[in-house]
Each structure stands twice: as C-alpha cells, then as structure tokens.
Amino acid sequence: MGRWQPDARGRLARAALELYVERGFDRTSVAEIAERAGLTERTFFRHYADKREVLFAGSSALQEVLAHAVAEAPGSATPLDAVAVALEGAAAVLEERQEHARQRQSVIDANTELQERELIKLASLSGTLAEALRERGVDEASAGLAAEVGIAVFKFAFRRWVDRTEEKELAQFVREALAGLRAVTADA
Amino acid sequence: MGRWQPDARGRLARAALELYVERGFDRTSVAEIAERAGLTERTFFRHYADKREVLFAGSSALQEVLAHAVAEAPGSATPLDAVAVALEGAAAVLEERQEHARQRQSVIDANTELQERELIKLASLSGTLAEALRERGVDEASAGLAAEVGIAVFKFAFRRWVDRTEEKELAQFVREALAGLRAVTADA
C-alpha cells in the first residue's frame, strides 16, 4: 500500500464501527481497526486521537449545522421556530448515514462510558443552540430554555428513529416530537 | 473514637465536599476525607463505594420523590401537570440543602468526568419519570416526551438557581421555566 491512501479516514471509521458491533467497543484495539482498514496504526492516529473519538468525530459538523441554521432562520421566526429549523437540518445530515447512526447507537448503548460521552455531546449541542439564539437577540432565559428543550425533543425523536418501530425519516420524527411538545404543553 | 459514630455518613459527605471545594476533586483522597471527618477509611468504604459516589448518593432519593409524586398526582392531571408536580417535589428536597447543592455543583462544573456522571443521573431521572407516567396509563410516546422535556426544564431551572443571580426558591425557578416552556411553544 502506497503512501497515498484514498479516504483513509472513512475507511478507518467504517472498520472501527464494524469491529465495535462484532466484538464490542472494549474488546477492539486500534491495531485491529487499522488492520481491518488495511492501514497502519500510525495512520489511525493521524486521523483520530483514540478509538473513542471515531464515534464522536461527527459532532463538530453537527454543531456547525445547528449554529448556521439558527443564524439563517427568518427574522420573524420565534426561538423555537429557529430551533425547529436547526433540528431538521441536523436530521437531514444524520438521515444520509442512517445505518451508520444506528450501528453507532448500538455500540454506545452497550457501554456506560460512551453513553456519558454522548450526553456531554448533546449538552454541548444545547450550548451551541443557545449561543446561536442569543446572537439573534433572543434573551438569555428564552435562549437557554428553547435550546435545552429543543435538544430534549431531538434526543427523543432520535431514539424513536434508531429503534425503528416505524419506517419514517428522522426529520419526520423531529416534526412529530415538536408537535407532541406543543400538545403536551398546550393542554397542561 | 468508639465504634458507634453518630451520623458518620453525613460527616463524611460534609468533609468530602469541603475538601473538593478547597482542593479540587482530583486532589482529594479518601484518606483525607476520613481524616477530616475524624473517621477511618474503612468507615468511609462502609458508606460509599468511592469518592465519586459521595456526590451522587442523593440521586436515588430524588428518583423516589419523582416516582411517588407522579403516582400521587390527581387523576385529571395531564402528563406535563404530573411532571410539574414531581419537579416541584424534587425542588423542595434540594431547597433544604441549598448550600450543599451549590457547592456540589461547583465541584462538578470543574471536572469533566463528574459532568458526564451528572448527565447520566439526569437521564436516569428522565427514565424514572417516563416509567411513572406509563404506570398512570400515559402512552409510550407522550410519557417519554413529557419526561425528557420535564428534565430539560428542571436542568435549566436548577442552573439558574445555582447561579443565584436572583434570590428565589428553586421551586419558583421551576414554575417560571414551565411557564417559559408554555410561552415558547405557544407562540411558535
């Protein structure tokens, strides 16, 4: 294998996820991931800090999508409208990698340390949303609340999508969860 | 010191929190906690599995409060009404230990590992709420959504209370956050 390795990053990510699903996260080594991808450990560490990071490397892309969508939402959008637009944008990104998202979730569900890391990631997405709302001029309290609730809705919708009891797009689950939120708050 | 140690558990918890605030969580040992409390390490380990558990031991009490409040809510209560009652119950418990809650939060805020653990705790509180709602006959989806959003609201209210920009009770912050949720969803 030459020095030029097309899509080394993607190959490593796919090899890692395959192994995590087959053997479990704890029982997979970086050496095995590199071998499965037909690459060296050194190449692995050029792309990822450790074997955990493979699972969370997409999170900064998601943050950008959320921040950008909130910034671009129409001036007339309420805070929750802006959050809804952002969540649909994030859903579209994940939708393209449905099988990856589901396998990744099954690996995380099997490992407490990864669950903790995933929750931290969700908390940071909430921080991103809140910051983007404040930059639209939304007051501190409404921004924080809309962001926190938005991420709760997304978490709920994502779980339903991953559990795949119905064949629907993630964006559809997000819309239903937002409608459910309105119903649940309206009659309370 | 005799074999009978009045309130050993409470003394250990107070000593631990003092040391975590003074020196940081990482730089405090179980030996130092025991010494500060005037007890032995062995006594420490009779009460807590490790120094991290001191900070999270209250979480099962909170789960009971939530589950009980949801179960006891009037039959006419909507899912979110029942959640609101439960969150006020949890607020009342924490209110009694305001200074402890604030010091504990400052220790957690300074440590990523503890933040992850705290988020797992909040996720399990959401699971408790959802389960209690299902036992009231609330459908799966509404139960999950009301619980997830309820915990998001509580997290938001708790943060405002801990940051103490205004002198208000936690229960008041919870009520305001629930009202804010309704406002934010109504005009969206």
Side-chain angles (χ1 to χ4, degrees):
Chain A
M1 168 143 305
R3 288 177 66 82
W4 185 73
Q5 293 132 346
D7 191 26
R9 191 176 168 84
R11 279 158 61 197
L12 287 162
R14 284 188 294 277
L17 197 53
E18 273 174 32
L19 287 164
Y20 298 163
V21 169
E22 284 169 29
R23 305 182 187 176
F25 177 78
D26 284 333
R27 283 183 300 279
T28 300
S29 69
V30 167
E32 290 164 331
I33 296 167
E35 196 195 338
R36 172 79 56 111
L39 297 164
T40 62
E41 279 191 68
R42 200 170 145 179
T43 303
F44 179 94
F45 287 115
R46 260 207 299 275
H47 291 280
Y48 300 103
D50 55 41
K51 66 175 184 162
R52 202 169 77 153
E53 207 208 313
V54 181
L55 294 167
F56 298 99
S59 135
S60 57
L62 225 44
Q63 280 185 313
E64 273 172 43
V65 167
L66 292 176
H68 188 256
V70 168
E72 295 293 304
S76 60
T78 66
L80 199 64
D81 286 338
V83 167
V85 170
L87 297 183
E88 289 208 35
V93 170
L94 294 171
E95 196 71 52
E96 288 172 22
R97 307 184 68 200
Q98 186 169 30
E99 200 44 43
H100 174 271
R102 281 171 175 155
Q103 289 188 353
R104 175 183 174 279
Q105 197 61 42
S106 74
V107 172
I108 289 173
D109 286 345
N111 186 299
T112 306
E113 189 204 326
L114 296 176
Q115 284 161 36
E116 293 182 346
R117 173 87 188 152
E118 177 78 343
L119 289 171
I120 283 275
K121 197 198 77 177
L122 285 168
S124 78
L125 293 180
S126 166
T128 299
L129 275 180
E131 174 64 25
L133 288 169
R134 283 193 297 268
E135 280 175 12
R136 283 174 66 88
V138 175
D139 68 281
E140 187 78 25
S142 305
L145 190 58
E148 200 69 72
V149 167
I151 292 299
V153 162
F154 192 76
K155 198 179 155 199
F156 175 80
F158 184 82
R159 173 53 65 184
R160 302 199 77 189
W161 178 65
V162 165
D163 288 348
R164 209 200 301 224
T165 48
E166 300 162 88
E167 274 306 330
K168 263 185 269 186
E169 290 193 351
L170 176 54
Q172 182 60 25
F173 282 113
V174 168
R175 281 189 290 271
E176 286 178 12
L178 282 163
L181 169 69
R182 283 168 187 144
V184 125
T185 48
D187 60 38
Chain B
M1 171 143 302
R3 287 177 67 82
W4 184 75
Q5 292 133 346
D7 191 26
R9 192 176 167 83
R11 277 159 60 196
L12 287 163
R14 284 188 294 276
L17 197 53
E18 274 175 32
L19 287 164
Y20 298 164
V21 169
E22 285 170 28
R23 303 181 189 178
F25 177 78
D26 284 334
R27 282 183 300 278
T28 300
S29 70
V30 168
E32 290 165 331
I33 296 167
E35 195 195 339
R36 172 79 57 110
L39 297 164
T40 63
E41 279 191 68
R42 202 169 144 179
T43 303
F44 179 93
F45 287 114
R46 260 207 300 276
H47 291 280
Y48 300 102
D50 54 40
K51 67 175 184 164
R52 203 168 75 152
E53 209 207 313
V54 181
L55 294 167
F56 298 98
S59 133
S60 57
L62 225 44
Q63 280 186 312
E64 274 174 43
V65 167
L66 292 176
H68 188 255
V70 168
E72 296 293 303
S76 61
T78 66
L80 199 65
D81 285 339
V83 167
V85 170
L87 297 182
E88 288 208 31
V93 170
L94 294 172
E95 196 70 54
E96 287 172 23
R97 308 182 69 200
Q98 185 169 31
E99 200 44 42
H100 174 271
R102 281 171 175 156
Q103 288 187 354
R104 176 183 173 279
Q105 197 60 43
S106 73
V107 172
I108 290 173
D109 286 345
N111 186 299
T112 307
E113 189 204 327
L114 296 175
Q115 284 161 34
E116 293 183 344
R117 173 85 187 153
E118 177 78 344
L119 289 170
I120 284 273
K121 197 198 78 179
L122 285 168
S124 78
L125 293 180
S126 166
T128 299
L129 276 179
E131 174 64 24
L133 287 169
R134 284 193 296 268
E135 280 176 12
R136 283 174 66 89
V138 175
D139 68 281
E140 187 79 24
S142 305
L145 190 58
E148 199 69 71
V149 166
I151 292 300
V153 162
F154 192 76
K155 197 179 155 200
F156 175 80
F158 184 81
R159 173 54 65 185
R160 301 199 77 189
W161 178 63
V162 165
D163 288 348
R164 208 200 301 225
T165 46
E166 299 161 89
E167 274 307 330
K168 264 185 266 185
E169 290 193 352
L170 176 54
Q172 182 61 26
F173 282 114
V174 168
R175 282 189 291 272
E176 287 178 11
L178 282 162
L181 170 69
R182 283 167 187 143
V184 126
T185 49
D187 59 39

